[in-house]
Amino acid sequence: MGSNPRVVGWYYNNFCLPGLGLGGATYKAPVLVSTNQVKQQKHSSSSFATPFSSFSLSFSGAGGGAGFRRAVVVMASSGLKTSNYLRHVESLKSFPSGAGNIPQLNAVILGEALASEETDRVYPSEDFTRQALVPSPEKYLEMYKRSIEDPAGFWADIASQFYWKQKWDQEVCSENLDIRKGNIKIEWFKGGITNICYNCVDRNIEAGLGDKIAIYWEGNELGVDGTLTYSQLLHQVCQLANYLKDIGVKKGDAVIIYLPMLMELPIAMLACARIGAVHSIVFAGFSAESLSQRIMDCKPKAVITCNAVMRGPKVIQLKDIVDAALADCAKNGISVDVCLTYDNQSAMTRENTKWQEGRDIWWQDVIPKYPTTCEIEWVDAEDPLFLLYTSGSTGKPKGVLHTTGGYMVYTATTFKYAFDYKPSDVYWCTADCGWITGHSYVTYGPLLNGAAVVVFEGAPNYPDSGRCWDIVDKYKVTIFYTAPTLVRSLMREGDQYVTRYSRKSLRVLGSVGEPINPSAWRLLALLFSPLMQEWFYNVVGDARCPISDTWWQTETGGFMITPLPGAWPQKPGSATFPFFGVQPVIVDEKGVELEGECSGYLCVKSSWPGAFRTLYGDHERYETTYFKPFAGYYFTGDGCRRDKDGYHWLTGRVDDVINVSGHRIGTAEVESALVSHPQCAEAAVVGIEHEVKGQGIYAFVTLVDGVPYSKELRKSLILTVRKQIGAFAAPDKIHWAPGLPKTRSGKIMRRILRKIASRQLDELGDTSTLADPGIVDQLIALADS
Ligand code: WTA
């Protein structure tokens, strides 16, 4: 079987991206294909009779050898209900800590090779598509086309679904993104009067959601939890807002928030927004030095913190850090009058908390005394909502400033479509509110949609590595949004932590922050989608969880390039196509827009509502960093490849590009290749100076638990890269790494790796924000092994 030309699936022909040439774009509808066509499409594929008489398996691709295997499963006829699907599944046999073996498949595919990733497509299931908000490429194209041709109409229609005290002026959007024509300016809904807190909370209550859970809070310790309905949330927000007003915080004043993932964190954000204050959250993993730098920059009226927090088994004394930061600020002539401190009793007692009378106030002593209603401070759409400091190429952090109206409309809309949000969903984003992901997709985006949100205080590996799936089962999480790094680190611990839980509730997965290599993508799909295995074993059901690989930035406010699950087939590792209203362009070094299949610098043409409006106090740096490199465009700082089908593949920051003998190699590409090696758990690649090649490739490699370092393995890793990318991309050095230096949010600190790689050990800089600072010494010790 399998060789008969019958219809078994569908794929897109000439799927040309609208943003890459609207008007002239060719777009052909999905076509049904036969197994024969599939086989022609897939290089060197072949078909087998399988232990399941109802399948034909078509193997694809060249290269490979050892490594994990993949088969394209074409479900064909034989009375199967789901005969029109084309699915990809993988064997996890040789993969570290995978979801468990699928023995029958392993047996069949042994000896087969890896496919070229670009030709790989994973299709949404029919069931998913049927219920999706955007169920087809046609629907997407129709909406996308309108968002580009008539952005004002498109966004005004969406904005009208929110509450505006007063409608915006005539012009929905006014912008200048071309530095040659004057100062950069972006304005959306100017003159519109609204309030994002009102839209997140009061509006939902008025719509009848008062008793719906807004926040499920899960504490660090098992069994410590809490909930807030929308009405309860409103009360708490109002009490804090009243207090802030009482101590003199006014519209436009800054408030620094330095809190862990307690419910009080989103409450504090919303309270600031309610009174028109500008919150600036500093991730509660930053050192006192970083905190004081931010306090000195924005000169807040108050700092909101807590005495301490438990992160797994560790106590972190946040108040001590704040004290040190405030002392440092005072030395520099900046004083903060109020330090509102939440008494986090599970982590520390009041008696042990250092206290400065007059300045420090216990949250629990004052906030409950305030009224549970609070007048809204109505603000202009272009009034600032928050500042969020992010790192740039220089040492000074950039205060990314977002305003109210456009950000509100954009985060709500991106959340809704990228996760295919339905009112019955329970949504969990593992990000901390200290990062943009937590702003847009823990607090604002979901609450604007009236969603139920899980907020988790603890660490994903505490009390053991099954904690995330425990939480998923406990709250019946349906949408799970996380970073690839978290998945990879948990997978190292073994599948028993995963398979112990059902995870059945999940229906959409999201990933953010770094290019997710195809192997991690598939592992995510398998691990999180028990139904996928069930389907395999029982020949029912589907891969029910599409993955939204969302590409965006602190600066963009919301998703820019992202799958809309249900709308089109995905290619694992690709962020796919632009969100509504976003026009990504890829330019060469000279700023010339490239057409069709290409690789270059990722820019964005025209503004979108969620765009940041300036860098706080430094509009010039804003213009220089983002709008001068390629006049006429917003420059993202990322490299991007667009394949022949118009899919976007983020290749990493362009500052992480290595130029080896004139070949540009994305560190992410090399990492992806290394990680596909069955014994490699994680890899980070940096460039080092090389006498002959200009730059050489230096790879830090973390092995799967229990695998010993060896010369043979080093060779085999290099061989894997040579095979997957080419000889020019072979790492010059493999540095064994028991772990990688990561921030607590999971970002690898490449700055430190570069210094270790180039043996500039006296220039390692601040390592205090690392999740495990001890890793640096271990890496140094292993440098010449
Ligand atoms: C990277 C996080 C590949 C990218 C929301 C970007 C990604 C930077 C993805 C922004 C993705 C984010 N695929 N790379 N899906 N998402 N990035 O400001 O390099 O912390 O420029 O915002 O993360 O990081 P930021």
Side-chain angles (χ1 to χ4, degrees):
M1 66 174 292
S3 53
N4 304 331
R6 67 206 140 149
V7 172
V8 292
W10 49 288
Y11 73 101
Y12 300 108
N13 201 6
N14 287 345
F15 190 104
C16 282
L17 223 221
L20 312 170
L22 262 183
T26 45
Y27 167 69
K28 288 185 194 153
V31 293
L32 290 170
V33 293
S34 71
T35 19
N36 279 354
Q37 284 170 291
V38 171
K39 281 168 59 189
Q40 278 161 22
Q41 263 260 319
K42 297 268 164 189
H43 209 54
S44 74
S45 60
S46 49
S47 279
F48 291 76
T50 74
F52 309 100
S53 59
S54 47
F55 286 116
S56 79
L57 290 178
S58 160
F59 297 102
S60 52
F68 78 100
R69 324 270 177 206
R70 177 174 55 257
V72 179
V73 175
V74 180
M75 299 176 69
S77 66
S78 306
L80 280 179
K81 277 191 297 188
T82 46
S83 60
N84 277 353
Y85 301 160
L86 183 65
R87 292 271 179 283
H88 292 194
V89 292
E90 290 192 10
S91 156
L92 292 180
K93 187 181 171 208
S94 54
F95 217 84
S97 317
N101 290 345
I102 306 174
Q104 294 91 332
L105 183 60
N106 281 338
V108 175
I109 68 171
L110 225 61
E112 279 303 318
L114 283 171
S116 139
E117 307 300 355
E118 266 197 14
T119 53
D120 246 348
R121 289 178 175 84
V122 177
Y123 291 74
S125 77
E126 206 171 74
D127 284 348
F128 193 94
T129 296
R130 199 177 301 122
Q131 59 82 60
L133 293 171
V134 182
S136 64
E138 291 87 343
K139 181 69 188 165
Y140 162 72
L141 280 171
E142 180 195 315
M143 292 172 75
Y144 183 80
K145 203 160 181 280
R146 174 157 188 242
S147 75
I148 301 304
E149 288 171 357
D150 175 25
F154 180 88
W155 289 111
D157 280 358
I158 293 177
S160 304
Q161 296 159 23
F162 295 93
Y163 179 79
W164 298 82
K165 184 96 184 147
Q166 188 184 305
K167 263 280 171 74
W168 47 91
D169 300 338
Q170 216 66 26
E171 235 176 350
V172 172
C173 169
S174 146
E175 69 178 32
N176 172 39
L177 263 57
D178 192 338
I179 195 80
R180 295 163 299 198
K181 296 184 183 150
N183 288 343
I184 302 298
K185 180 189 88 167
I186 298 172
E187 286 176 347
W188 283 82
F189 311 111
K190 178 99 175 139
I193 305 293
T194 187
N195 183 292
I196 196 169
C197 173
Y198 181 86
N199 277 291
C200 283
V201 190
D202 310 54
R203 185 180 55 102
N204 286 322
I205 295 170
E206 274 154 37
L209 298 183
D211 293 332
K212 179 174 177 177
I213 302 288
I215 297 177
Y216 288 102
W217 179 75
E218 172 80 3
N220 182 63
E221 299 298 328
L222 284 173
V224 177
D225 52 23
T227 56
L228 278 184
T229 63
Y230 272 91
S231 297
Q232 290 165 335
L233 177 62
L234 177 64
H235 292 169
Q236 304 233 5
V237 167
C238 286
Q239 288 183 318
L240 179 60
N242 282 321
Y243 168 78
L244 291 174
K245 280 210 284 201
D246 209 21
I247 60 166
V249 178
K250 294 195 183 59
K251 182 181 164 194
D253 288 341
V255 173
I256 284 264
I257 304 174
Y258 188 73
L259 278 172
M261 288 296 274
L262 302 170
M263 286 202 258
E264 283 65 25
L265 181 43
I267 290 170
M269 296 167 81
L270 292 164
C272 289
R274 192 169 192 88
I275 62 170
V278 181
H279 60 71
S280 180
I281 307 177
V282 179
F283 172 60
F286 274 111
S287 63
E289 212 174 285
S290 313
L291 179 59
S292 79
Q293 198 176 20
R294 286 155 174 78
I295 294 172
M296 283 190 279
D297 193 62
C298 74
K299 303 175 190 63
K301 274 274 168 65
V303 172
I304 304 179
T305 187
C306 71
N307 46 357
V309 66
M310 296 292 296
R311 271 232 126 212
K314 269 197 303 200
V315 182
I316 300 159
Q317 309 201 346
L318 295 182
K319 179 68 166 44
D320 284 358
I321 298 170
V322 175
D323 286 350
L326 289 176
D328 189 41
C329 293
K331 261 192 248 152
N332 288 286
I334 304 286
S335 71
V336 177
D337 297 337
V338 178
C339 178
L340 182 68
T341 308
Y342 183 81
D343 181 5
N344 195 15
Q345 287 155 8
S346 61
M348 194 177 192
T349 61
R350 280 194 185 203
E351 296 69 53
N352 287 336
T353 309
K354 290 194 201 93
W355 208 245
Q356 185 172 319
E357 283 305 330
R359 183 196 69 188
D360 301 346
I361 313 273
W362 287 113
W363 176 304
Q364 285 92 330
D365 286 356
V366 290
I367 306 304
K369 295 183 183 147
Y370 281 87
T372 54
T373 56
C374 173
E375 284 278 298
I376 301 278
E377 179 77 39
W378 298 104
V379 300
D380 191 281
E382 280 303 333
D383 279 336
L385 173 64
F386 67 84
L387 275 179
L388 181 57
Y389 289 90
T390 186
S391 18
S393 47
T394 71
K396 191 177 181 284
K398 304 182 277 193
V400 167
L401 185 125
H402 282 282
T403 56
T404 304
Y407 177 84
M408 172 172 84
V409 171
Y410 198 69
T411 51
T413 312
T414 45
F415 172 81
K416 176 175 163 184
Y417 287 106
F419 295 132
D420 190 52
Y421 172 73
K422 304 285 155 50
S424 55
D425 279 316
V426 175
Y427 165 80
W428 181 22
C429 165
T430 61
D432 190 288
C433 287
W435 309 110
I436 190 67
T437 307
H439 284 66
S440 302
Y441 301 108
V442 172
T443 305
Y444 292 115
L447 295 180
L448 284 164
N449 282 279
V453 182
V454 175
V455 172
F456 176 42
E457 177 195 27
N461 55 359
Y462 180 80
D464 66 32
S465 298
R467 188 65 187 277
C468 287
W469 330 131
D470 182 52
I471 295 172
V472 164
D473 281 1
K474 177 171 172 182
Y475 298 103
K476 305 214 166 17
V477 171
T478 57
I479 305 174
F480 181 70
Y481 185 39
T482 192
T485 184
L486 181 127
V487 179
R488 288 198 301 264
S489 71
L490 292 180
M491 281 179 329
R492 290 188 67 201
E493 306 299 324
D495 48 311
Q496 70 274 20
Y497 292 112
V498 184
T499 48
R500 205 198 277 162
Y501 301 96
S502 137
R503 295 153 288 132
K504 254 194 167 119
S505 52
L506 292 170
R507 65 177 204 96
V508 179
L509 306 172
S511 112
V512 61
E514 47 179 320
I516 177 167
N517 46 38
S519 357
W521 194 100
R522 284 204 184 71
L523 275 167
L524 195 65
L526 263 176
L527 281 170
F528 288 65
S529 175
L531 290 172
M532 186 157 174
Q533 289 167 56
E534 225 171 88
W535 158 77
F536 191 78
Y537 284 115
N538 307 329
V539 200
V540 290
D542 315 293
R544 281 255 305 261
C545 296
I547 300 175
S548 283
D549 176 358
T550 62
W551 174 82
W552 61 297
Q553 307 176 297
T554 303
E555 292 87 343
T556 69
F559 306 149
M560 298 293 280
I561 302 181
T562 175
L564 300 184
W568 54 72
Q570 297 197 26
K571 295 190 182 185
S574 163
T576 73
F577 299 111
F579 192 74
F580 304 128
V582 175
Q583 296 185 64
V585 294
I586 297 176
V587 301
D588 66 12
E589 308 80 71
K590 298 195 184 76
V592 176
E593 250 181 84
L594 303 173
E595 297 285 330
E597 198 178 347
C598 61
S599 203
Y601 300 97
L602 181 62
C603 292
V604 184
K605 195 156 54 173
S606 302
S607 78
W608 61 99
F612 68 140
R613 307 301 201 242
T614 190
L615 291 178
Y616 180 68
D618 202 348
H619 199 69
E620 199 183 320
R621 188 177 178 192
Y622 172 72
E623 294 181 334
T624 308
T625 313
Y626 301 101
F627 297 93
K628 279 198 181 145
F630 302 105
Y633 304 109
Y634 163 69
F635 173 47
T636 66
D638 277 328
C640 184
R641 186 160 55 85
R642 191 169 54 217
D643 71 18
K644 61 182 184 336
D645 304 309
Y647 283 70
H648 292 79
W649 301 77
L650 277 303
T651 53
R653 303 289 304 186
V654 288
D655 27 24
D656 285 334
V657 165
I658 308 175
N659 196 330
V660 184
S661 309
H663 297 291
R664 283 174 163 255
I665 303 164
T667 51
E669 282 175 74
V670 183
E671 287 162 9
S672 177
L674 286 167
V675 172
S676 76
H677 189 286
Q679 281 155 338
C680 172
E682 193 157 22
V685 168
V686 296
I688 42 158
E689 258 185 63
H690 192 285
E691 251 181 58
V692 183
K693 304 180 189 171
Q695 269 192 309
I697 298 178
Y698 194 106
F700 292 85
V701 169
T702 305
L703 297 178
V704 170
D705 267 356
V707 174
Y709 306 138
S710 71
K711 268 191 192 158
E712 288 69 27
L713 186 51
R714 189 172 262 144
K715 270 193 208 149
S716 150
L717 283 161
I718 293 173
L719 199 66
T720 304
V721 181
R722 290 173 76 103
K723 269 198 176 151
Q724 287 203 14
I725 306 174
F728 66 91
D732 297 279
K733 164 88 184 168
I734 302 271
H735 185 139
W736 302 123
L740 294 170
K742 288 180 187 168
T743 63
R744 267 192 241 124
S745 71
K747 272 215 165 141
I748 295 171
M749 285 183 81
R750 287 166 192 282
R751 175 176 61 77
I752 293 175
L753 290 178
R754 277 192 211 103
K755 296 294 175 195
I756 296 175
S758 56
R759 306 293 188 268
Q760 293 167 299
L761 302 180
D762 49 343
E763 289 173 39
L764 289 172
D766 182 13
T767 55
S768 67
T769 55
L770 289 177
D772 176 14
I775 207 72
V776 174
D777 287 335
Q778 291 184 42
L779 286 175
I780 294 170
L782 281 164
D784 296 306
S785 66

